Amino acid sequence: MTARVDLYVIARLDDGDAAVDIYCSEVSFGHASDGAVCGHTTANLSRTLLLAPDASPDLDGLDRTIAAAGYSRIGDWRECVTAAGVVRYFADATTGLHAVMDG
């Protein structure tokens, strides 16, 4: 059995700079029976994935890029405008421990 790693994903679709930053994180879960993620206690940058050359510059293209690298997004993308006024997309993800170690 492969150990799973909780991840936090921040994506950008800036013109000419579409990429996904993947962070290893410690996740806190709600006390509700659904076990929903309710926050991240720490996050350390693991890697940045550039949009695959054949992927469309949208959230579907970012999903294909993430999947091709061995990651699985869990939950919906959440759009947020940062304090600097740029749009970023946030999501929770997971992967097998070997994928993080192999980098």
Side-chain angles (χ1 to χ4, degrees):
M1 184 170 141
T2 302
R4 303 303 296 174
V5 178
D6 293 314
L7 304 167
Y8 193 52
V9 177
I10 302 175
R12 60 185 177 274
L13 290 173
D14 300 340
D15 192 26
D17 184 30
V20 179
D21 294 324
I22 309 256
Y23 296 85
C24 290
S25 67
E26 294 178 20
V27 176
S28 56
F29 295 92
H31 296 292
S33 62
D34 66 1
V37 173
C38 67
H40 297 269
T41 56
T42 62
N44 298 307
L45 181 62
S46 178
R47 69 189 296 192
T48 297
L49 302 173
L50 299 177
L51 186 68
D54 59 340
S56 55
D58 55 21
L59 293 176
D60 288 336
L62 292 175
D63 279 338
R64 287 191 296 281
T65 300
I66 290 169
Y71 301 99
S72 298
R73 181 173 53 84
I74 54 173
D76 296 329
W77 287 108
R78 299 176 301 280
E79 183 178 327
C80 180
V81 178
T82 69
V86 296
V87 175
R88 295 294 180 256
Y89 300 90
F90 298 81
D92 298 302
T94 190
T95 191
L97 186 58
H98 68 280
V100 172
M101 294 176 71
D102 294 343

